[in-house]
Amino acid sequence: MPTSDGPSHLPVFVAPPHGNHQRSSGYVPGRVAPVRSPPPAKAPPPPPIKPQCARLDRLATLSQSEENQHKGRSQSLQQRKNTLICFGVSVGSFFLTLILVFSFSRRDVLDENCPDHNPSLSIWNPGHTPEKDVVVARGKLFRLESSATFRSLTIQSGGRVVFADNADGSKNVTLRTHYILIEDGGALHIGAPKCRYRSHATIALVGRSDNKKLPEVPGLGRKFIGVKSGGTLELHGTERVSWSLLTRSIPVNGLSTGGHAFQRNFSRGINLRVVDQDTAAVLTQERYDTHESFNDSQRLTQLLQSLPAGRIVALAVGDSAVKSLLDETKKAIKEKLGSSFVSSLQYRQAWALVSVVGGGNASCTEDVREHENHDTGGRALARRNFTSVDGVDFSVTAYSEWKNGFPISGFQVDAVDQVVLNLQDEVQQTWKPGDRIVVASTDYSMHQAEEFTLLPCPHCTSRQVRIQGKPQYNHVGEIIDGVDMRAEVALLSRNILIYGEMENSCYGNMCQFYNHDTFGGHIKVLGNFSSVHLSHVELKNMGQQEEKGRYPLHFHMCGDVDQKGGYSEPTYVDGLSIHHSFSRCLTIHASNGLLVKNTLGYNTLGHCFFLEDGIEQRNTFYHNLGLLTRPGTLLPTDRNETLCTSIKDKVYKGYTPSPSTECKAVSTFWIANPNNNLISNAAAGSQDAGIWFVFHSSSTGDSHGLVPETKAELTPLGIFYNNRVHSNFKAGLFIDKRVKTTNASAADPREYLCLDNGARFRPHQNADPSRPRVAAVIDTLISFKNNDLGAWIRGGDIIIQNSGFADNGVGLSFARINHYLYGISLLFSSDGSYPKDEGSSQEVKHSLFVGESRNRGTNGGQNKYWGLGGADGKMRTLPRNRTFPIRGFQIYDGPVRLTQSTFRQFTPTPERYTSAVGFNLKNTWQLTPRNNLSQLSFHSSVGLRTFFGRPGQWFEDNDLDGDKNSIFHDVDGSITGYRDTYIGRADNYLIQHPGCVNMSQWNGVICSGRYSQVYIQTLGAPNLSLSISRDEYPDAPLVLRGINSQAAVSQQYQPILMMSKSYTFHWSGPAPREVVLSLINFDKDDWVLVGLCYPSDTTFQIMADINDRQSNTFDDLTDYGTVSSLTELEKRPLERKYFFDRPVGLLWFYLRARHGRDGHSYCSVKGCERVKILATTSTKQTCNCTAKAYPKYSKTPSAVVPMPALSPALPCKDCGAKQLVFSSEPWTSYLQTQVKSVSTKEHQLGDDNAFISVNEVTMLFSTLGYFFVSVDSCSGKVTGNSAFTTVDENMEHYLKSKIPKRSIVLMATRGQPEDLVDLAPHLVSFGMAKTPDLHSKESVALWGFKGSSPSPSWVSLQAGKRDEVLGLQERYLPLGLEAYGCAPPAVQIRKDLELLKKATGQ
């Protein structure tokens, strides 16, 4: 939705903290930007330096008098003198030009876009003077040519410092200083947007926090770059791809088989490993004691003779191997493996060999070391490199040695220094050997992020890089189960580096929390600056944990920094790498309109991208990445549990904070005002949340008092599109809560700015609750592997669409209510439900929910739980706990509408209930029957569509009010098969009738009918439980305990009742003196007949009214009259009458809606219809009338609405999400492919269903042999399919000639093809790195490509032996790529770029 300018009461200019602040010369009151314009992008070239001859001639002529006109000789001498002067000036100009040309000799011409080409600059080589305070003032325009050291550098009053550069990027300049202060008129330039810096520029900020020799600069402190009013900071490094996505998964150790490592002492004889040349899997590991056993030597001979050609064999001697080593064994090793040393192997010689069976001596690598005095003087080491059939390089290593009297032997199969990353973007030109990168976690733990150094890779494509070492964890590089789980890969290195020099050990107050120095450098930009633009700069070791306002990059109270603030070139931050930071990443403080794009924030303490005071608006975050966001100390919301309870200097007296309600909120994106834009960002791992929208009721911090009422909860949401959140512990996306805006006191001892309840996002036009609502749209959210919640959203009129959720503890949960404020138990909920909230919509549509995907994770990296799960029943990482009930969509209260969405992979296990739709656990709160679910699609992998809980772990007794009233509406029968039915708790007889269908697996019941809520408030009896019996099921009452605490002065209940039925209400103690019953979600003419239990001596005053909640007024006040019997009352249902059955003690009356509701409103268009009862009695007895009421008022159960027939099991039209893939690149089309090969074993087990599926169109094949499907890689259209029983001439002709170029080639097998070996050579033409070995293989699945070289990264071959089951294999393949040879689209619509233009006003 459009980004608004925000409420008009927000300040345009934020006043500085000191009243005597000196303004810049261009300051205009009421504006943040100075009158002067920022420097133009293209400066005009300098005027040429001309000789001064003419001017001198004119002066000479004017100086002549009448008397000298006749002195010819004197005139001649004067002319000669002038000529000499002209000549001297010309020569000087020539040499000056020569100097300038020489200065830029490596560039053909001066470039007016390059700040260091300005001819007015003076060459500056100040040297190293660490005790000198340097001031660059007016008239001093310096080009820094070499490294320098100062105590401080101040640039002011027209002074300028520009870092020198050259064409080949070899001009490396380092500036070390305690601080750089840029004051009014001062400027620091390193490169420019149109002339990027090519060399390496480094600014090292030095100093300790306890250094008293150098005084702090007011407002800036120590160790900083500060930009004050009128200052200019322009830093522009070489343009580089900031971050990308993996396009091929990286397994642990770089190999899909996991690699192999073995080392042992005294493993006597010949140790052997046989390795699969196609997969790097170790097929055989054995020890043959050829020192003592002739039999072992024979066994080794037999094994070698049995191995097929091409197998990799590694041998290593442990201790000794020759005493019983037979000649036939030596011959086999020599002939099969090409060994040159085995024949002459001696006692206790260390020998290692790696070879290929049948490859001869050329394929053999071996090494021998002599044994002497129990030492071999080194290691016999043999290593060879290989390539798998999928193109993955790996090494096989064998080693043997004697060391300090111990024989050692071992093996390694790994990909160390050989792992190649396949990336989405072309990075080869800008990511260089020696650069550092980080690969994000794709598991529950953010600590699985890994750093690597890039290595040279001559054979890499433009989208590949090679890393040093090997990964410790799996990193996903593909779409899995329809959700984009590709790991982000970010470049840490930049050629402009600003860093804080750190101490080797911790010192100061922070050492109680951290074991390292946390006093880094910082950059602070103050209001009314002249021009600030930063691009492609690296900030390392920045931020100061002990000091507020000292962040790596901080825009401090700058007001509007775009065109609205008078800046012709809007301020931006682009391509920054902010990593290993000690306090946040980037802070926007009382500043508006800043563009932050392509920026990385990695490994920081405290909130990373941080909006500070709650009044920051119109800022745009585009394509930024934050990961590994750790707890900090500055604010309560930064802290984890330990820090929260340890830091108590700002709470009232001895109060101990509550971590779960006041702290534990550290987030990668901390958004303190909704009117900001988030487009295509990634939050890839935080201790708490990825993106957190928090609400400030008033401006806080340094802005305190500027905006007494921010109306943040009412402010429309800015643009939220295409963001991804994963690997966060608490939640991916969190929209809820506010911060405390008052200081600690006896009344509220909590710390200022701690988390606070009471917020509920409910946007309206212009943040005005009297104006129409504005829906907040969360569009294209990708959320996976978040430990607790994929998204938690509290509020109304919120829409989530086109989003994918996978592998979260709970995928998505909406909440409307917030019924707790500190120290107060509320009679009414806090503006989040009836009676304060008038009702609104929460909607989810066109989305995908995946319970436990094929991304099984890695056991390690602070993942706590590892157990069986998923549709395949394999070991995997788990959220929360091995027994935690995973849910895709969680219903808390409502109303919420879930429609046109798909569920996959929700398979319960004996340890846990995993369900597609579930409910909030241990729920005390109200639910509504208006939770409408429709047009849902459930994949066959969903074993539990919904679940209502059972007593036990996590559910406890499962008997709180919300648990018992759990219900939702199956609008179209897409969940149950019964159209227009409701699903509720199986033991809740208030909603049932005889035709209901019991679903024991769900602990639920499917019923037809009409259902609404009665909101019951009581005064004067807070500890009461309410027992409700339906007259048709008097033996099965529903007992509610109420939602308020037992100490509250009142209580409230909200049962869900079937309409057109009668009920009796009973109390666990004396009847309350006042009861108010409100009709919630009643449609016009809906009614129930209720009887409330009272003592027989009670007298009543009963009144009906309509409560207008907006004006808090009461209309249509009407008193109830009496009738003499229930029969008479039932004859007059439209009248406001009551009947009190004194012998029984039941007060009977109708609750009937006389007005219709409007949309999602709880109540009628006129207000909420209520009945208020004032009871007077002298009796204190318990008022439970059940024994007297029944069987007197018992009725025969019946259905008001007949149960519909079960719908036929046909595919649901328009059910499920429209799209199959939920990607972070929604402009790219994907092809869903499934290949199901069937082996003999599967056939014996009864699985005879072989097929290939393309975009859910299944093509079966029933004959034995091979089945091929070709798909056009540009359009995704199936171009052909063929089946063959053998690899004959027809099949060979088909493979060579019938499959079009640019085709995706899919293959499945059925049965046991006898000629798989003959097929193998043909697979190379479909992208295999080499001819695969298909000996002893039975079932094969292929994803190939016929077309360009190199092959796409998704090309893959899966092959199973006779005892292996491949099962169903699914892959999602990108379509229409230029790398395939597809023509680029004439017009590619990039919604993200269009929204970026809209957000920034371009």
Side-chain angles (χ1 to χ4, degrees), residues 707-1007:
V707 184
E709 186 181 6
T710 63
K711 297 185 178 180
E713 295 170 44
L714 298 170
T715 300
L717 182 70
I719 298 169
F720 189 104
Y721 175 73
N722 192 34
N723 297 292
R724 50 194 277 130
V725 290
H726 64 89
S727 307
N728 301 288
F729 188 82
K730 185 171 186 173
L733 171 64
F734 203 92
I735 302 178
D736 194 6
K737 299 187 181 293
R738 60 175 58 148
V739 293
K740 182 173 178 278
T741 57
T742 58
N743 290 322
S745 63
D748 186 349
R750 299 173 301 158
E751 185 175 342
Y752 180 57
L753 295 181
C754 74
L755 274 184
D756 195 12
N757 286 319
R760 179 176 169 273
F761 186 37
R762 51 197 195 285
H764 287 70
Q765 285 183 8
N766 295 339
D768 183 349
S770 67
R771 303 198 65 177
R773 293 175 178 270
V774 177
V777 179
I778 307 294
D779 193 356
T780 316
L781 172 69
I782 306 296
S783 177
F784 66 94
K785 292 291 183 183
N786 297 290
N787 192 67
D788 284 5
L789 294 149
W792 170 274
I793 299 172
R794 187 186 300 279
D797 289 298
I798 297 172
I799 298 171
I800 289 186
Q801 62 188 26
N802 308 317
S803 297
F805 303 86
D807 291 331
N808 303 292
V810 173
L812 170 63
S813 183
F814 275 110
R816 293 174 53 81
I817 56 169
N818 198 336
H819 60 276
Y820 177 80
L821 294 177
Y822 179 81
I824 306 172
S825 295
L826 296 176
L827 168 61
F828 302 124
S829 59
S830 179
D831 211 7
S833 66
Y834 179 81
K836 282 204 170 183
D837 179 30
E838 64 271 23
S840 56
S841 65
Q842 296 171 329
E843 184 173 350
V844 184
K845 58 184 179 181
H846 307 309
S847 294
L848 171 66
F849 297 86
V850 180
E852 294 176 285
S853 76
R854 291 181 295 109
N855 175 7
R856 291 190 287 271
T858 310
N859 188 16
Q862 297 194 23
N863 277 329
K864 294 183 178 180
Y865 302 106
W866 179 253
L868 294 173
D872 55 10
K874 295 182 178 179
M875 297 296 288
R876 60 186 299 115
T877 54
L878 298 168
R880 297 291 296 272
N881 191 288
R882 291 166 63 99
T883 61
F884 181 74
I886 295 170
R887 284 145 288 159
F889 181 75
Q890 175 176 274
I891 298 173
Y892 181 13
D893 42 26
V896 63
R897 178 172 178 252
L898 172 64
T899 187
Q900 290 185 295
S901 294
T902 301
F903 292 86
R904 300 185 63 171
Q905 308 286 359
F906 289 90
T907 306
T909 72
E911 288 187 304
R912 66 181 171 276
Y913 298 101
T914 300
S915 63
V917 177
F919 296 87
N920 190 45
L921 303 179
K922 296 175 287 188
N923 186 11
T924 63
W925 200 247
Q926 61 200 38
L927 278 86
T928 171
R930 298 299 189 267
N931 289 314
N932 294 331
L933 281 62
S934 64
Q935 294 180 286
L936 303 182
S937 174
F938 296 89
H939 191 266
S940 59
S941 58
V942 175
L944 198 58
R945 293 192 176 190
T946 187
F947 188 60
F948 288 81
R950 296 186 191 277
Q953 188 180 14
W954 300 105
F955 300 97
E956 294 186 357
D957 294 331
N958 200 31
D959 67 344
L960 299 179
D961 289 6
D963 301 330
K964 294 178 178 180
N965 280 289
S966 298
I967 193 170
F968 64 85
H969 184 197
D970 184 2
V971 177
D972 60 349
S974 58
I975 302 171
T976 64
Y978 296 93
R979 188 178 184 83
D980 191 20
T981 55
Y982 294 78
I983 303 93
R985 272 269 293 257
D987 57 355
N988 182 1
Y989 281 84
L990 302 189
I991 64 172
Q992 296 193 34
H993 60 73
C996 295
V997 178
N998 188 276
M999 300 293 293
S1000 58
Q1001 186 186 17
W1002 300 355
N1003 192 26
V1005 63
I1006 307 169
C1007 295

Side-chain angles (χ1 to χ4, degrees), residues 1029-1042:
S1029 296
R1030 202 168 102 196
D1031 290 347
E1032 296 174 341
Y1033 297 101
D1035 296 330
L1038 179 71
V1039 179
L1040 303 178
R1041 65 182 66 181

Side-chain angles (χ1 to χ4, degrees), residues 635-654:
L635 297 177
T637 54
D638 288 315
R639 300 168 193 158
N640 61 11
E641 187 163 351
T642 300
L643 295 171
C644 186
T645 55
S646 300
I647 300 174
K648 299 195 288 187
D649 56 322
K650 294 179 182 177
V651 300
Y652 187 77
K653 293 187 176 179

Side-chain angles (χ1 to χ4, degrees), residues 390-432:
D390 287 339
V392 176
D393 294 333
F394 65 96
S395 299
V396 177
T397 304
Y399 56 89
S400 171
E401 69 176 323
W402 279 81
K403 188 173 183 180
N404 300 325
F406 294 94
I408 302 170
S409 59
F411 302 94
Q412 282 184 214
V413 180
D414 60 30
V416 173
D417 294 347
Q418 298 180 80
V419 176
V420 171
L421 308 187
N422 291 270
L423 301 173
Q424 181 69 23
D425 299 282
E426 294 187 344
V427 300
Q428 186 65 241
Q429 295 299 314
T430 61
W431 293 19
K432 300 298 184 182

